Amino acid sequence: TSIYRISLDAMSGDHGAAVVVPAAVRALKDFSDLHLVLVGDEQQLRETLANESGYDESRLSLRHASQVVEMDDVPALALKKKKDSSMRVAIDLVKSGDVEACVSAGNTGALMATAKFVLKTLKGIDRPAIMTAMPSLHGHTHVLDLGANIDCSAEQLLQFGIMGSAAVEAVEDCECPRIGLLNVGAEAIKGSAVVKGASQLLDSSAVNYIGFVEGDDIYTSDVDVVVCDGFMGNVALKTSEGLAKMISTRLKESFTQSWLTKLSGLVAFPVLKSFRRSIDPRRYNGASLLGLNGIVVKSHGGADALAFENAIKIARLEAQKNIPQRITALMADSLE
């Protein structure tokens, strides 16, 4: 059986080791083919690990790092001044081949800058893009880019479509995933010159391009991958996260107004629990930095142990499916 080795930036995010260590232990219990490397302040990691039990200690290693990239650090300074940060060391382990993938809940800008500097981009890829799954009527839809590239050319949007297609085909076992391009309307005459140009490029590429899609199609249509620039993608992501929180809060308020609504809530509890689970952002946590010579997964900064474990699961799956190699192969097919 193959062992998938993943480095974890254990000092990252809003909670650091207090979340990453329990998430690592959960993942080790759930997957017998994982070997995890916790990167960070070794003393703090050992103290946090002392509270955990029941896991295979032989599949967990510690790697000391003396620095931490803070959530408000400027990416260029983090790259230049913090060469022994837990983030940098975790990515360096991917570069050296000691691990197949890395997971961090750290500063997105610093993570992207460091990963691009250390690992470099794949042949034919100008810029890495961030992709994640968002809940939909049909399960979920993958969207990229989610904020790494605010302004994109038509050629870069084509690259995003190719990367998204290769990744989703592998991780979802989905033959010929349907690729849509996010626009302000489905009609050919709508959209900017860049979006129209990208549409023509995607149409003549090796991916299964279905044309323009609108914002609501992310949640309701038969589309597997939605391609957009980082500005639009980030707005869509944050809007959906906020909407999920609002719906959960409003439902809770509605069912706790009186003894009658509380009784109704008790009857409806199994349905409400299932609904809440289906839109729980924690279960979709883990965004892939696609286009790099290595696998890097970004966890939400405020993630809890359940959410961070989900990011580890995504990294494991991408290592298992060798996503960078698949992207390179599809890029070659599309550029022929």
Side-chain angles (χ1 to χ4, degrees), residues 41-230:
D41 183 305
E42 190 168 347
Q43 186 180 345
Q44 190 180 336
L45 292 175
R46 290 194 185 282
E47 287 170 2
T48 313
L49 270 169
N51 300 318
E52 303 291 338
S53 61
Y55 64 95
D56 182 354
E57 294 182 28
S58 69
R59 291 189 288 117
L60 185 69
S61 316
L62 302 185
R63 178 67 69 95
H64 181 69
S66 62
Q67 296 171 301
V68 177
V69 173
E70 304 297 342
M71 295 304 267
D72 57 355
D73 277 355
V74 176
L77 287 177
L79 187 58
K80 193 175 178 182
K81 305 276 190 186
K82 295 190 172 179
K83 294 179 181 176
D84 195 44
S85 67
S86 54
M87 179 186 288
R88 176 66 177 267
V89 175
I91 294 171
D92 283 342
L93 289 170
V94 178
K95 171 74 174 174
S96 64
D98 290 326
V99 300
E100 283 83 47
C102 157
V103 181
S104 173
N107 176 328
T108 305
L111 183 66
M112 180 60 85
T114 305
K116 190 178 178 185
F117 176 79
V118 173
L119 300 174
K120 306 294 186 284
T121 54
L122 295 167
K123 186 180 177 183
I125 302 295
D126 295 337
R127 299 178 187 171
I130 302 173
M131 182 182 80
T132 197
M134 292 165 69
S136 73
L137 288 176
H138 307 283
H140 49 260
T141 304
H142 286 81
V143 183
L144 79 164
D145 175 41
L146 293 172
N149 308 283
I150 300 303
D151 295 308
C152 299
S153 66
E155 289 74 19
Q156 285 159 353
L157 290 172
L158 165 67
Q159 292 166 18
F160 297 169
I162 292 167
M163 293 193 292
S165 180
V168 170
E169 183 170 1
V171 299
E172 300 289 343
D173 290 323
C174 168
E175 200 174 336
C176 292
R178 292 152 298 190
I179 313 298
L181 185 60
L182 192 62
N183 198 5
V184 292
E187 300 86 355
I189 59 165
K190 291 190 173 177
S192 66
V194 170
V195 169
K196 288 176 183 174
S199 184
Q200 291 177 343
L201 292 173
L202 283 162
D203 204 28
S204 55
S205 73
V207 305
N208 179 19
Y209 178 58
I210 62 168
F212 292 140
V213 295
E214 296 180 75
D216 58 337
D217 292 318
I218 294 172
Y219 310 99
T220 60
S221 291
D222 288 328
V223 60
D224 300 303
V225 179
V226 172
V227 175
C228 57
D229 63 45

